[in-house]
Amino acid sequence: AIVRFKVDGADIKKGIRVEFEDGVQDELAEVSGLRIFLDERGHGIYISKEDLQKFMDESSGRYIEIRKEGDKYIIVFLTDKKSQIDKISGGVMFAIPADSEYYSIMAEYKGGKDNWGGQYDTNNKTLEFKTKYSGEYSILEEKINITDIDGLDEKTAQAVRFMVSKGYMTLTDGAFNPNAVLSRNDFTAALVRIFFALDREKKTSFKDVAKDSSYYPYIASAESDGIAKGYEDGTFRGTIAAKKENVIAFCARTLADKKGYSYPDDIENYLEFDDSADISNWAKNDIALAVRNSLVEKGGDLNPKSDITRAESAEILYKLFMLLYDTSPVSMTSEEQKQTNMMLGVGAGGVVVLAAAGAGIVWYRKKRAVNAQEND
């Protein structure tokens, strides 16, 4: 269940401040998060219950400010004493107007400047991105000109264009090299960008990752967040190729861990590949989940032990990204809304205070699994 607040009369150019009062965590005991619509143009904020807890308890955060200055958005996190927090624990999702899915966010903050990517919401024509940094955020329109993907099917080519436009995967002299294998370094960097997990202050313990390597902050962030693991000898071995079943399994596990997707009981029905006997036992549940949720299609040869190509990985990661940051609207019956309101105590004082706060509270539930029998 997510609480939705609609604010009337706010002006993003003058700046909007959101204040979270003491005790708001207790009010949200049964809620997944808060989504605040700041104006009619689509500017908004989303924060999960877990990230709100971190923001208030670990960072002593109380306020979020956002204002537009020319082509840039200034985002500032503040303590209860109204002093700026350069980096908060957790993170906050922001939505800003954009014209297409190939727009991206350039983030400039203390210690770094990076392409932050973002998810495009076709219904509201907004770009959503997550950040933990106070800083300046600009919209970039990426001109996608890739010289070597004409031979790919359109779905794969679209995935490649998307991944490149967001900075999640890169080009070499205008070429994507779709048939080249994907290294562990590039896979890890893509995951860190997709999860908005880059933290340039992190250090890695892997002894074969040079501090002056461009991959260093991504591998360090991945190690800190549990995204990537090394080998027993303390190495990361980033230059070797990622294996197909490892990539598929990781993406499926991400849906289970981060979005609450449940594993299918009848996994053999989803492992109908000509070479299904080659799938490692440890990966079968994950690959079944991946097939059920269309990260990969069943049938033919999977080649689970093969090195995954850049084109194959782009398509799987694109599908993962779309499921992780799905922005499609979900309806809710009036009776469900009434019951949820009663359960959560809507209207109780001190849930959230907004500068220029308005009325209009809506609740909705969102299914996290494809089976009708499974719970919301």
Side-chain angles (χ1 to χ4, degrees):
I2 298 175
V3 193
R4 302 179 69 187
F5 292 90
K6 181 180 178 183
V7 181
D8 296 318
D11 187 345
I12 198 74
K13 292 183 179 180
K14 293 181 178 179
I16 301 171
R17 172 182 290 174
V18 179
E19 175 187 350
F20 299 97
E21 290 189 345
D22 290 333
V24 65
Q25 301 98 317
D26 297 331
E27 300 271 1
L28 301 177
E30 302 294 332
V31 173
S32 303
L34 300 170
R35 185 175 292 276
I36 305 165
F37 295 89
L38 298 175
D39 59 20
E40 297 300 325
R41 294 194 59 212
H43 295 98
I45 294 173
Y46 172 78
I47 186 167
S48 69
K49 178 179 66 177
E50 292 77 12
D51 283 338
L52 179 60
Q53 191 87 33
K54 293 177 182 178
F55 175 60
M56 298 188 71
D57 294 345
E58 298 178 16
S59 303
S60 299
R62 288 297 181 274
Y63 304 94
I64 300 172
E65 292 184 349
I66 179 172
R67 68 182 185 277
K68 186 176 182 182
E69 293 184 358
D71 295 330
K72 294 183 177 182
Y73 288 87
I74 312 301
I75 293 173
V76 182
F77 301 107
L78 300 167
T79 68
D80 52 353
K81 305 296 184 182
K82 296 184 180 178
S83 58
Q84 179 172 317
I85 310 169
D86 291 328
K87 184 179 74 173
I88 64 171
S89 297
V92 179
M93 293 287 291
F94 291 87
I96 58 180
D99 292 332
S100 82
E101 69 171 343
Y102 296 117
Y103 278 72
S104 185
I105 296 293
M106 178 59 70
E108 189 169 356
Y109 52 94
K110 185 177 180 180
K113 183 176 182 179
D114 301 286
N115 187 342
W116 227 246
Q119 167 65 315
Y120 188 65
D121 180 352
T122 56
N123 297 292
N124 296 312
K125 296 189 184 306
T126 56
L127 192 64
E128 294 196 357
F129 63 98
K130 186 174 184 178
T131 186
K132 61 178 73 171
Y133 295 98
S134 294
E136 297 182 356
Y137 296 81
S138 307
I139 297 182
L140 300 177
E141 181 180 8
E142 293 292 342
K143 304 296 183 182
I144 308 302
N145 182 23
I146 306 174
T147 61
D148 60 347
I149 61 172
D150 290 343
L152 301 178
D153 66 79
E154 183 51 35
K155 286 185 178 179
T156 305
Q158 179 187 6
V160 171
R161 286 191 290 268
F162 179 89
M163 296 297 288
V164 170
S165 73
K166 302 298 183 183
Y168 300 150
M169 300 182 77
T170 59
L171 303 177
T172 302
D173 297 326
F176 182 73
N177 299 311
N179 295 320
V181 298
L182 183 78
S183 70
R184 282 170 50 82
N185 277 338
D186 286 329
F187 179 53
T188 302
L191 290 174
V192 168
R193 291 169 176 136
I194 285 173
F195 296 153
F196 302 104
L198 179 60
D199 188 337
R200 293 188 175 274
E201 296 178 2
K202 295 296 184 183
K203 308 295 182 184
T204 182
S205 64
F206 299 130
K207 59 187 181 183
D208 60 338
V209 181
K211 289 187 176 180
D212 59 353
S213 168
S214 60
Y215 291 106
Y216 186 93
Y218 297 98
I219 295 170
S221 299
E223 182 183 8
S224 175
D225 274 24
I227 296 171
K229 295 182 179 180
Y231 292 84
E232 292 181 357
D233 63 357
T235 61
F236 182 69
R237 305 181 196 177
T239 58
I240 68 174
K243 299 299 180 182
K244 193 171 184 179
E245 71 176 0
N246 292 81
V247 170
I248 296 171
F250 182 92
C251 292
R253 215 169 295 144
T254 297
L255 291 179
D257 294 343
K258 292 184 175 292
K259 298 291 286 185
Y261 280 62
S262 60
Y263 285 90
D265 295 326
D266 50 343
I267 65 171
E268 296 302 326
N269 290 339
Y270 297 99
L271 299 179
E272 296 177 354
F273 300 99
D274 293 341
D275 57 352
S276 59
D278 295 337
I279 300 173
S280 299
N281 287 331
W282 64 262
K284 287 183 177 179
N285 282 334
D286 294 318
I287 292 178
L289 175 59
V291 171
R292 190 191 66 184
N293 292 284
S294 300
L295 291 180
V296 293
E297 296 181 4
K298 66 181 178 181
D301 288 328
L302 180 65
N303 298 314
K305 300 291 195 299
S306 66
D307 298 340
I308 193 168
T309 67
R310 287 170 56 80
E312 289 172 331
S313 61
E315 188 167 6
I316 293 171
L317 290 171
Y318 171 74
K319 291 175 180 177
L320 172 65
F321 184 90
M322 290 301 172
L323 290 174
L324 282 177
Y325 303 109
D326 177 27
T327 55
S328 58
V330 177
S331 60
M332 186 175 185
T333 67
S334 58
E335 184 60 29
E336 286 177 320
Q337 180 170 321
K338 178 180 178 182
Q339 290 175 359
T340 308
N341 287 357
M342 292 172 61
M343 176 181 68
L344 296 173
V346 173
V351 174
V352 66
V353 176
L354 302 169
I361 300 176
V362 181
W363 298 76
Y364 68 90
R365 289 183 180 273
K366 197 162 192 174
K367 277 201 177 297
R368 298 181 297 182
V370 297
N371 290 350
Q373 296 89 352
E374 293 173 352
N375 295 326
D376 287 340

